[in-house]
Amino acid sequence: MSLLVVGLSHRSAPVSVLERAALSADAQIKLLQDTVAAEPATEAAVLATCNRIELYADVDKFHAGVAELSTLLAQHSGVGLDELTPYLYVHYEDRAVHHLFSVACGLDSMVVGEGQILGQIKDSLARAQELHTAGKLLNDLFQQALRVGKRAHSETGIDRAGQSLVTFGLEQLAAGGDVRDWANGRKALVIGAGSMSSLAAATLARAGVAEVVVANRTFERAERLALLLEEQYGHALAEGEDTRGVTARAVPMDAVADELTRADVVVSCTGATGLVLTAEAVAHAVEGRTGAPAADSGVPAVKPAPPQRPAGLAADENCPLDLAAVQPGFSLMGEAAVAGMDAATLEQHAAWVAGGAPARRERRTPEADAELITALAATAATVGRIPERRRPEPVAERPAPFFFLLDLAMPRDIDAAVHRLAGVRLVDIESLAEASADAPMAADVDQVRRIVSDEVAAFGAAQRAAHITPTVVALRTMAADVVASEIARLDGRLPDLDERQRGEIRQAVHRVVDKLLHAPTVRVKQLAAEPGGAGYADALRTLFDLDPETVAAVSRAGDSTDEKDRPA
């Protein structure tokens, strides 16, 4: 059997695809159950975070395994296989081990070096153990990944290179300023009470917000988090600091709309499959704070009046369109009625557009006019409208933001249209991915990569050595049976031997067999630990004519006696 991982992440897929492919807790359970029920796989584990979805399995056939795992991911994510396939990556055997160890160290995270992934790997293993989909291979792999991740964080400065997604998100909200200065005295609303939301609440409390309100569908969880915040951060963080203690309280989810009008900062990370905050809800909150209708990118968010004729357009008598006949509500900014317009009128309009500026008139040629007329005709036929000459409109200046929203959920909790509202700054997974692409890498990353490479080699050697152990045990068992059979035959032929003599003979025979097998079995374990060493087990079984079922029985017995530790 061999390790295979099929998945997609922020490195291989756009956030829009990751959002659609996100797996709920129930979907993850069903995916694990269906994977081990499929023919190529005997073990399975799912690692699903806000920026990755990966399915790990122990398979006996590579191509069949890739096809089956890809199909299962598509089925349970709800994204069609044809659409999902271009974004999938596949890692096999040592490359799969290297990938998981890199993930555990934070090297593959959106924010390099972040440590939250260790908790997510731990949860992934615990889920697979509870469902009995993790066997010896995946238990060993995930346990070792946790140890490698902890080693990377304790032996290197990777923590200095990275930070949590929460911290990175707050830095983006602060637009490069000091987070403590930005957060000081503000009121925060945290929607959700899971691990990410709890981290966000604690980070905001440490940054110096005056109040944290926690909203959650299960009110008791929100209440526990609020009490914990009060206990830990309800006083000055350090003697002599100006930072005041934070107050914390819990509210039910149906109180979120009211709390939005009081909050300065909102962090949302729930497991909801739909939007938690719509653009309308945020706009209503802004209106409640300011007392004026929310503005869309500096333009009042009310139904616009019928557009007026662009300045200077009516004065051009050469325009063939009857501008005065346009009905109220019909926009001249890029649209004109083309139904029934004949070719001559179209040509007149093309000449009018082309001759708008003196510089363009000087450069006009019959060929250029012909090309422009053809292009205009094609545009009219395709989109049903004719472009007209117009001056560019000045871009409205956005006011400084006063309402800050951080969406750490996948799929998203907050409507992306919120970013158009004036006075509102929205940071979500998509914008974090763009910002992290330019984040500097720390020198410690190279050291972590060396740790990962060493650990991958050690894990592979241990797995290959373990692979041959059942064969060695079966060989020694066969030898012991041969010795027992020969001793019994000798007892029948020499019945006059006393017990001391029989003991000497038994010891002598056992010593001979042990000495004959010692060097080959030790050497074969050493060779098996090297790349390609799995073939030595096959050679040993062939040379000594070992029963494959006996070897398999030893292997099964070993698996059943292995301690399945819970994740540390």
Side-chain angles (χ1 to χ4, degrees), residues 37 55 130 178 233 543:
L55 177 57
E130 290 169 4
D178 183 84
Y233 306 106
L543 288 171

Side-chain angles (χ1 to χ4, degrees), residues 1-3 43 58 93-94 97 101 135-145 147 455-470 524-525 527-534 537 555 559 562:
M1 304 298 284
S2 300
L3 177 66
E43 303 180 33
D58 187 8
E93 294 187 325
D94 283 354
V97 177
F101 287 4
K136 179 173 175 53
L137 176 61
L138 292 186
N139 269 287
D140 290 348
L141 174 69
F142 276 68
Q143 292 280 7
Q144 188 63 23
R147 287 189 283 268
E455 291 285 356
V456 170
F459 183 82
Q463 289 296 306
R464 288 186 290 270
H467 178 71
I468 204 168
T469 298
V524 80
K525 286 183 178 180
L527 293 171
E530 299 175 359
S555 182
D559 286 348
D562 279 339

Side-chain angles (χ1 to χ4, degrees), residues 185-337:
R186 295 186 187 273
K187 296 181 179 180
L189 169 64
V190 176
I191 304 176
S195 57
M196 188 78 79
S197 299
S198 300
L199 178 60
T203 304
L204 286 165
R206 286 196 300 270
V209 296
E211 181 184 44
V212 176
V213 178
V214 182
N216 193 57
R217 296 190 187 283
T218 305
F219 180 74
E220 289 74 15
R221 293 191 65 182
E223 199 169 34
R224 283 199 299 270
L225 178 55
L227 289 173
L228 186 62
L229 291 171
E230 284 273 14
E231 290 174 4
Q232 293 187 347
Y233 306 106
H235 50 81
L237 298 182
E239 189 175 349
E241 281 193 357
D242 294 333
T243 307
R244 296 164 296 177
V246 66
T247 60
R249 56 188 175 88
V251 298
M253 284 294 288
D254 57 13
V256 165
D258 291 335
E259 296 298 335
L260 281 177
T261 62
R262 304 186 185 99
D264 303 302
V265 185
V266 178
V267 179
S268 186
C269 186
T270 72
T273 55
L275 292 175
V276 175
L277 294 180
T278 62
E280 290 76 13
V282 176
H284 185 269
V286 170
E287 184 176 347
R289 293 168 58 93
T290 63
D296 188 347
S297 295
V299 179
V302 296
K303 187 175 181 179
Q308 301 299 312
R309 180 175 304 161
L313 191 59
D316 196 324
E317 299 176 356
N318 295 322
C319 179
L321 301 182
D322 184 5
L323 302 179
V326 174
Q327 297 300 314
F330 183 87
S331 173
L332 291 174
M333 310 298 286
E335 295 183 59

Side-chain angles (χ1 to χ4, degrees), residues 180-525:
R180 294 182 66 85
D181 292 341
W182 167 80
N184 189 35
R186 295 186 187 273
K187 296 181 179 180
L189 169 64
V190 176
I191 304 176
S195 57
M196 188 78 79
S197 299
S198 300
L199 178 60
T203 304
L204 286 165
R206 286 196 300 270
V209 296
E211 181 184 44
V212 176
V213 178
V214 182
N216 193 57
R217 296 190 187 283
T218 305
F219 180 74
E220 289 74 15
R221 293 191 65 182
E223 199 169 34
R224 283 199 299 270
L225 178 55
L227 289 173
L228 186 62
L229 291 171
E230 284 273 14
E231 290 174 4
Q232 293 187 347
Y233 306 106
H235 50 81
L237 298 182
E239 189 175 349
E241 281 193 357
D242 294 333
T243 307
R244 296 164 296 177
V246 66
T247 60
R249 56 188 175 88
V251 298
M253 284 294 288
D254 57 13
V256 165
D258 291 335
E259 296 298 335
L260 281 177
T261 62
R262 304 186 185 99
D264 303 302
V265 185
V266 178
V267 179
S268 186
C269 186
T270 72
T273 55
L275 292 175
V276 175
L277 294 180
T278 62
E280 290 76 13
V282 176
H284 185 269
V286 170
E287 184 176 347
R289 293 168 58 93
T290 63
D296 188 347
S297 295
V299 179
V302 296
K303 187 175 181 179
Q308 301 299 312
R309 180 175 304 161
L313 191 59
D316 196 324
E317 299 176 356
N318 295 322
C319 179
L321 301 182
D322 184 5
L323 302 179
V326 174
Q327 297 300 314
F330 183 87
S331 173
L332 291 174
M333 310 298 286
E335 295 183 59
V338 295
M341 182 176 289
D342 56 30
T345 306
L346 180 61
E347 289 182 15
Q348 291 175 23
H349 185 72
W352 177 73
V353 172
R360 287 203 305 272
R361 283 198 296 268
E362 292 174 4
R363 294 195 300 268
R364 283 181 57 194
T365 65
E367 292 79 9
D369 282 355
E371 290 179 4
L372 182 56
I373 291 171
T374 302
L376 284 167
T379 301
T382 303
V383 301
R385 66 191 186 194
I386 295 178
E388 79 290 342
R389 188 178 64 199
R390 53 174 293 199
R391 293 185 179 91
E393 298 174 29
V395 178
E397 219 177 278
R398 289 178 64 91
F402 56 83
F403 195 32
F404 302 86
L405 298 99
L406 177 57
D407 185 358
L408 297 173
M410 184 61 68
R412 72 184 74 216
D413 279 347
I414 303 175
D415 190 344
V418 163
H419 82 278
R420 296 202 304 265
L421 295 174
V424 177
R425 176 175 293 158
L426 169 65
V427 171
D428 56 17
I429 293 297
E430 190 164 13
S431 57
L432 286 176
E434 294 173 358
S436 66
D438 299 325
M441 297 283 286
D444 300 273
V445 168
D446 287 338
Q447 186 180 351
V448 174
R449 286 176 176 149
R450 287 192 292 270
I451 289 175
V452 169
S453 296
D454 292 344
E455 291 285 356
V456 170
F459 183 82
Q463 289 296 306
R464 288 186 290 270
H467 178 71
I468 204 168
T469 298
T471 301
V472 172
V473 172
L475 174 60
R476 288 191 171 275
T477 301
M478 184 193 73
D481 291 342
V482 171
V483 169
S485 176
E486 289 302 314
I487 292 296
R489 190 173 69 84
L490 186 63
D491 287 345
R493 295 182 61 182
L494 301 173
D496 296 332
L497 293 175
D498 59 33
E499 192 57 37
R500 185 185 64 80
Q501 292 169 327
R502 293 178 190 279
E504 288 289 342
I505 292 172
R506 278 195 296 269
Q507 288 182 10
V509 175
H510 278 295
R511 280 196 298 270
V512 170
V513 172
D514 287 343
K515 287 183 178 181
L516 286 173
L517 292 181
H518 177 72
T521 53
V522 170
R523 184 62 180 143
V524 80
K525 286 183 178 180

